[in-house]
Amino acid sequence: MDTQGLVVALLDARGSFFEPAVTAFPGAGAAAWERAALLDPDAAGPDGSWRLDFRCFAVPRPGGRWVLIDAGVGPPRSPAAGWAPVPGRLPAALGEAGIAPADVEAVVLTHLHEDHTGWTQDEAGRPFFPEARYLVQSAEVAALDRADPVWDWTVAPLRAAGQLHEVAGEHRLAPGITLLPTPGHTPGHQSVLVEGAAGGGGGGGRDVVVTGDVLVHAVQLADPAVPYSHERDRAAARASREELLALAVRRRALLATAHLTRAFVEPPGPGC
């Protein structure tokens, strides 16, 4: 478990991607790869493979409640099972952090890819976080194909349970926790700004920007113009990435990353 200020990083899984890094990030130059190796050296696997983490984040709220950001790869039969290292260990990571599933009052889904929605339900098909609202951008739900397995795994059961809450645009979830639209990776992708005093506990400290998949590899930190082969709209994704990194620089915020092998990284400085 890694913690920065009020934000707790929860490692759900660790593994290798199904395609080489140079294929996943076409057009990245030698200088960007060299800098990426310094920023996140553990991401470089043998024969050019890409090692990555699958991580969620938790933010404390008053009264022992929590907000969770993303829901990991999930149990063995989750939609991510075709390519991600399931089962994830999020239940154990929550226990290590002293967080019970019933303590989670809200789950922010940055987007509806299978490696971010796995623990929306348990092995028995019940909502894993029984007391939580699940917040997702309405544009993300509207763009999801009904044939996508995440629809039946996440969207349909949460709607039936009255737990799916669709938001449109920037959304203030709670004092110090703001959802920021960052489309491109998917049409309704969102990131999260956690201000240093979030949660009302007087913890203070630096702001944290939880990136979701705006930034999936350090090569995109080295050169934000580098596209990712699985971005729905590369131009929009690049714009979102550049804007989010600029926000982090302005606020002197740390980046909380879902897939780098380091949970928290500094944003690039001017001229980087």
Side-chain angles (χ1 to χ4, degrees), residues 15-81:
S16 294
F17 201 57
F18 55 80
E19 62 185 8
V22 293
T23 304
F25 301 95
W33 284 118
E34 289 172 6
R35 186 156 185 263
L38 296 174
L39 293 167
D40 192 16
D42 291 339
D47 300 321
S49 62
W50 170 23
R51 291 174 174 159
L52 71 165
D53 288 351
F54 298 83
R55 192 178 290 109
C56 311
F57 294 91
V59 184
R61 295 275 296 128
R65 308 291 279 170
W66 292 82
V67 170
L68 186 71
I69 303 169
D70 279 331
V73 300
R77 68 180 187 89
S78 76

Side-chain angles (χ1 to χ4, degrees), residues 115-128:
D115 57 319
H116 292 256
T117 56
W119 289 108
T120 52
Q121 66 170 268
D122 62 17
E123 274 294 282
R126 299 167 300 205
F128 188 78

Side-chain angles (χ1 to χ4, degrees), residues 138-145 187-188 232:
S138 57
E140 185 74 358
V141 178
L144 188 67
D145 193 315
R232 182 77 70 88

